[in-house]
Amino acid sequence: MSILIIEDNPTNAMILKHLARKVADDEITVQADANDALVLCHNTLFDMLIVDQILPGMTGLQFIKAIRQIHRYDNVPIIMVTADNDPALRKAAEQNGVTDFLTKPVEALAFRRLIANHRGTGSQTPN
């Protein structure tokens, strides 16, 4: 399983990567810029995306809208992790394909549970 974390704050990125490693021992890539992450997604198929809302280049929501236009990402789980707890953002995120939504500060157990629940549900073909 490969996970892409899109988070521009180095401390938050390190924490998310550390928490994800507790559940997933596969490749975890961190990208700070949403535009660079989008280019990376065009070239690499990740099994899960973890996206912050406030990013350089574009917002997390704009990134999610763009990534859902790439058909091979139709079933890839996307978890939005953000300090913005506006219900309108949560609704817009869900309408645009976010699988799950967590607010910062991230509760470690809840985050690890989400990763575990979505492992293997991404780019694999259904039976």
Side-chain angles (χ1 to χ4, degrees), residues 40-111:
L40 189 58
C41 287
H42 277 285
N43 298 320
T44 306
L45 179 59
F46 292 94
D47 298 303
M48 182 181 294
L49 304 174
I50 300 169
V51 184
D52 186 20
Q53 167 60 6
I54 301 169
L55 295 164
M58 67 179 84
T59 67
L61 192 55
Q62 290 169 327
F63 172 84
I64 291 161
K65 287 178 183 179
I67 206 71
R68 287 301 192 204
Q69 297 300 311
I70 303 171
H71 292 296
R72 64 188 182 152
Y73 278 94
D74 285 348
N75 298 314
V76 171
I78 300 175
I79 300 170
M80 180 171 266
V81 180
T82 181
D84 188 341
N85 61 3
D86 181 0
L89 172 62
R90 180 183 290 259
K91 183 176 181 179
E94 290 170 357
Q95 290 173 341
N96 285 284
V98 167
T99 311
D100 273 302
F101 192 98
L102 287 176
T103 53
K104 294 177 186 174
V106 171
E107 200 280 316
L109 186 58
F111 180 76

Side-chain angles (χ1 to χ4, degrees), residues 5 9-21 106 108 111:
I5 298 172
N9 179 298
T11 302
N12 289 341
M14 180 188 67
I15 291 168
L16 292 174
K17 186 173 183 177
H18 174 76
L19 291 173
R21 282 218 187 281
V106 171
F111 180 76

